Amino acid sequence: LKEMSQVAAEALQKPVHDINTKWKEVLKGISDREAKINNMQMKIGEVESGIDSAIKSLEQAQDDLDNFEEFIADPKSLETHMKKLQLLNRDLKIQERVCKQLSDAVDDIMEKEEEENPLLAEKRETMNDLMRAAYANAKDKEAKVHENLRQVKKYLGDVDDMLQWVTDLRTELKSSPPLGALPESAKKEYEDCMKRQEELEKKEEPIEALIAKGEDIISKCAPNESLQIAEKLRKLKERT
């Protein structure tokens, strides 16, 4: 090249320079592609690991929900039960946000990958199915506990009303004066007394129904979860 003229040397060097430039671009493209592949593989691994963790958490949540057997108990026990379910529901809402983020990450990977990733897509579907099932299960369990709590409170309210009615009747009968000396007043007082006696007799069937219902509830409860119901039932039996 030293023996060539400057013009000739430049003419010879230009194709070599162009080839070197193109080769550098090819090498850079290969390097960038390898880095992109490595980054993508790393992202896929992180997302897959996150999905595996989410699936494990959701399976555990389902197991926890299955342990919340439907039962009837004192309001205090049912309210404690409800609080546990509400905490679990709160955890599921957090998990739902995590699942949404992971699902979006899978969409992003699918868009950037040249080839499909059926395993990742299948894991995402499993995760989302578990999420929907756990959420529905938790809502169902919470609704049932709400209904049981409503029924038990209504029962205890009915028992309280009956106890109050019986107490008022006893107080009235005890405070009633003896039959009057005059025939007319004695007759009226006797009729009033018999009327109250008839009212008491009409209450016998509802009282027996309340007692039977209370005994049925207690039979379905653990001994330490029906103390309030048992106490109300004892008072009802004693006063009637």
Side-chain angles (χ1 to χ4, degrees), residues 70-82 143-161 210 213-222 225-233:
E70 184 181 355
F71 69 100
I72 298 178
D74 284 339
K76 187 175 180 180
S77 295
L78 286 171
E79 284 165 0
T80 300
H81 205 62
M82 179 66 69
K144 286 179 178 177
V145 174
H146 264 302
E147 177 58 21
N148 288 343
L149 183 59
R150 185 193 68 78
Q151 289 183 9
V152 170
K153 284 185 174 181
K154 182 181 183 305
Y155 170 75
L156 291 174
D158 290 344
V159 172
D160 283 337
D161 290 345
L210 281 173
K213 186 173 181 179
E215 289 174 342
D216 181 61
I217 292 173
I218 290 172
S219 71
K220 298 174 182 177
C221 300
E225 292 181 337
S226 60
L227 298 177
Q228 184 181 357
I229 299 170
E231 178 62 16
K232 294 280 186 183
L233 193 59

Side-chain angles (χ1 to χ4, degrees), residues 3-240:
E3 295 176 355
M4 292 182 180
S5 66
Q6 185 176 354
V7 174
E10 287 179 356
L12 185 61
Q13 285 178 341
K14 188 177 184 306
V16 175
H17 176 73
D18 290 345
I19 291 171
N20 286 338
T21 300
K22 289 180 180 179
W23 181 244
K24 285 179 181 177
E25 288 175 356
V26 170
L27 290 175
K28 185 177 184 302
I30 293 171
S31 177
D32 290 346
R33 176 60 179 164
E34 286 177 346
K36 186 178 179 181
I37 290 171
N38 288 335
N39 289 336
M40 185 64 72
Q41 287 175 342
M42 185 178 295
K43 186 173 183 180
I44 291 172
E46 290 173 356
V47 171
E48 190 171 2
S49 176
I51 290 175
D52 288 340
S53 178
I55 287 173
K56 186 176 180 181
S57 296
L58 290 168
E59 287 174 341
Q60 181 60 54
Q62 283 284 33
D63 288 342
D64 292 341
L65 284 167
D66 290 340
N67 290 329
F68 280 92
E69 296 295 337
E70 184 181 355
F71 69 100
I72 298 178
D74 284 339
K76 187 175 180 180
S77 295
L78 286 171
E79 284 165 0
T80 300
H81 205 62
M82 179 66 69
K83 287 177 183 176
K84 292 177 182 178
L85 272 172
Q86 287 170 347
L87 286 172
L88 186 53
N89 258 324
R90 208 171 302 155
D91 290 342
L92 285 173
K93 286 180 181 178
I94 295 171
Q95 188 66 51
E96 188 177 28
R97 290 198 295 270
V98 172
C99 289
K100 178 66 168 62
Q101 291 170 351
L102 288 167
S103 190
D104 290 345
V106 172
D107 285 337
D108 186 50
I109 290 170
M110 297 293 189
E111 287 177 6
K112 293 178 180 178
E113 264 199 323
E114 294 180 358
E115 297 180 359
E116 293 184 0
N117 193 325
L119 178 61
L120 192 61
E122 184 180 347
K123 284 191 174 185
R124 176 176 66 172
E125 186 177 356
T126 299
M127 174 188 72
N128 288 335
D129 287 346
L130 282 170
M131 182 71 251
R132 285 189 289 269
Y135 204 66
N137 195 2
K139 285 292 182 185
D140 181 59
K141 288 286 195 296
E142 191 173 345
K144 286 179 178 177
V145 174
H146 264 302
E147 177 58 21
N148 288 343
L149 183 59
R150 185 193 68 78
Q151 289 183 9
V152 170
K153 284 185 174 181
K154 182 181 183 305
Y155 170 75
L156 291 174
D158 290 344
V159 172
D160 283 337
D161 290 345
M162 187 63 74
L163 284 169
Q164 188 61 52
W165 186 89
V166 172
T167 299
D168 290 346
L169 177 62
R170 283 186 169 187
T171 301
E172 182 183 336
L173 292 174
K174 285 181 180 179
S175 62
S176 296
L179 298 179
L182 297 175
E184 290 184 3
S185 62
K187 181 180 178 183
K188 184 178 183 307
E189 289 163 5
Y190 174 76
E191 288 175 349
D192 288 343
C193 181
M194 292 303 297
K195 183 179 179 182
R196 299 301 283 163
Q197 185 65 32
E198 287 175 5
E199 288 177 3
L200 180 59
E201 289 175 357
K202 289 179 181 178
K203 290 289 185 181
E204 285 182 4
E205 189 173 335
I207 289 171
E208 288 174 1
L210 281 173
I211 291 172
K213 186 173 181 179
E215 289 174 342
D216 181 61
I217 292 173
I218 290 172
S219 71
K220 298 174 182 177
C221 300
N224 60 335
E225 292 181 337
S226 60
L227 298 177
Q228 184 181 357
I229 299 170
E231 178 62 16
K232 294 280 186 183
L233 193 59
R234 182 187 65 79
K235 288 181 180 178
L236 185 62
K237 289 177 177 178
E238 285 180 352
R239 295 185 190 180
T240 57

